[in-house]
Amino acid sequence: MAVQEDDQTIQFAESAPYDEYVHASTLHTLQQTISDDAGEMSFLVVSQIMELYFGLIRYELREAQRLVRDDDVWGALEPLRRAGLHLEGLNASWRTLRWMSPADFNRFRGQLGEASGFQSAMYRHMEFALGLKSEPLIRPFRRQKAVYAELTRDIREPSLWDEVVALLARRGNDIPADALDRDRTSDHEPHPAIEDAWVRVYREPTPGNDLWLLAEALTEVGEQFMDWRYLHLKAVLRTLGDKPGTAGSSGANWLRRSMARPVFPELWSARTHM
């Protein structure tokens, strides 16, 4: 290693340690546009940024899930707080696409072929970690055997929310077996026993109540995820209106329906009874 007299420039014999750690030179080779339109680069890069956020958020949620399973609620607060902030960053990504009008998008949309954001496997992993599971969502991945196997495993394993409900039961709340063993891939109405448990938790909103702090951390994650859905819908309406989405998806209508499925449902419905 050689250092110049002004100590401003450090030269390394091989690649810079920063690049070895971040792999920036690799990252910057992944932007391979398929049209001649300059705006496509923005669309592609922001899509890649979102993919990285999906993976990061899933990582934090799984870490929080592991700690909740081990009854380390205090430890689980940190990855949940990070997940909330990562979701905030993910949501901010939409702001950089507000320049894109229908005419802007249409200049390269036709060349996307059957590619659609609905086909993001990592987004599905993130949803499954939150507890939003539906078997039809993994069908498009059947021909990608490794990806399909991972999604199938994830959809069948407990989610973060499953572990939180199990924790409430271990803490002395009377939560029956039907609330603990519900089909994890189906929609359900909020369970009264789980609602009651959260009502009791919120009777003592103090810094020493770890379950109250857990509820607030989960609420932040849930709220930021709801914001993500709304911002996604707004972006689709801005560029497509109510036309079918890319690759023939139902576009805005599908997004509207998905907004009706809350993350951590009893954490929200319990507020009616507080």
Side-chain angles (χ1 to χ4, degrees):
M1 182 176 70
V3 182
Q4 293 185 355
E5 290 183 1
D6 60 6
D7 203 26
Q8 295 295 315
T9 304
I10 303 176
Q11 300 178 24
F12 298 94
E14 298 179 0
S15 60
Y18 172 83
D19 192 65
E20 291 177 357
Y21 178 67
V22 178
H23 298 286
S25 59
T26 300
L27 285 173
H28 291 299
T29 65
L30 301 179
Q31 291 73 51
Q32 300 173 23
T33 56
I34 56 177
S35 77
D36 295 327
D37 184 73
E40 188 200 343
M41 179 61 86
S42 294
F43 179 79
L44 176 57
V45 170
V46 172
S47 298
Q48 291 176 337
I49 289 169
M50 288 180 177
E51 278 292 324
L52 290 172
Y53 266 124
F54 297 157
L56 177 58
I57 293 162
R58 179 206 185 200
Y59 173 87
E60 301 286 16
L61 295 173
R62 287 170 67 90
E63 177 66 7
Q65 178 178 346
R66 180 186 67 80
L67 292 164
V68 167
R69 186 188 304 121
D70 293 341
D71 292 305
D72 185 1
V73 176
W74 293 102
L77 296 178
E78 287 305 311
L80 284 175
R81 287 171 181 150
R82 291 195 299 266
L85 291 171
H86 300 329
L87 278 160
E88 192 174 334
L90 171 64
N91 293 342
S93 301
W94 288 117
R95 298 178 62 185
T96 66
L97 290 179
R98 285 186 299 172
W99 61 270
M100 194 163 61
S101 70
D104 294 321
F105 190 34
N106 286 335
R107 278 196 290 271
F108 61 86
R109 183 193 179 204
Q111 297 187 52
L112 296 176
E114 296 184 350
S116 168
F118 288 96
Q119 300 159 7
S120 168
M122 190 53 69
Y123 180 76
R124 297 305 173 203
H125 281 299
M126 183 181 73
E127 280 193 321
F128 296 167
L130 289 166
L132 294 171
K133 299 183 178 183
S134 176
E135 288 282 0
L137 293 177
I138 67 174
R139 291 174 188 165
F141 303 95
R142 282 180 174 172
R143 293 185 179 180
Q144 297 172 265
K145 293 185 178 180
V147 174
Y148 185 72
E150 291 176 359
L151 288 167
T152 301
R153 181 200 64 218
D154 257 18
I155 205 170
R156 292 175 180 172
E157 289 184 351
S159 67
L160 168 62
W161 186 241
D162 293 323
E163 298 293 354
V164 168
V165 172
L167 172 70
L168 291 174
R170 293 196 299 273
R171 289 292 187 91
N173 292 284
D174 186 15
I175 298 178
D178 68 311
L180 293 169
D181 299 329
R182 288 186 293 178
D183 178 3
R184 295 190 177 99
T185 63
S186 300
D187 293 327
H188 293 276
E189 292 296 319
H191 198 289
I194 303 174
E195 290 178 334
D196 290 345
W198 287 121
V199 171
R200 285 191 289 274
V201 167
Y202 270 90
R203 286 175 183 160
E204 298 181 39
T206 65
N209 183 345
D210 61 345
L211 289 180
W212 178 77
L213 291 172
L214 176 64
E216 287 295 282
L218 290 168
T219 299
E220 177 65 16
V221 169
E223 185 173 340
Q224 290 290 344
F225 186 75
M226 286 190 286
D227 287 348
W228 153 262
R229 285 169 156 177
Y230 175 62
L231 291 168
H232 191 180
L233 174 61
K234 280 207 308 180
V236 169
L237 292 174
R238 178 188 289 270
T239 55
L240 289 174
D242 278 311
K243 293 194 294 289
T246 309
S249 66
S250 57
N253 286 331
W254 189 92
L255 293 172
R256 290 189 184 100
R257 291 195 301 271
S258 71
M259 290 172 68
R261 296 182 66 201
V263 180
F264 316 141
E266 289 87 359
L267 192 57
W268 300 101
S269 60
R271 284 160 162 76
T272 306
H273 310 290
M274 294 180 188

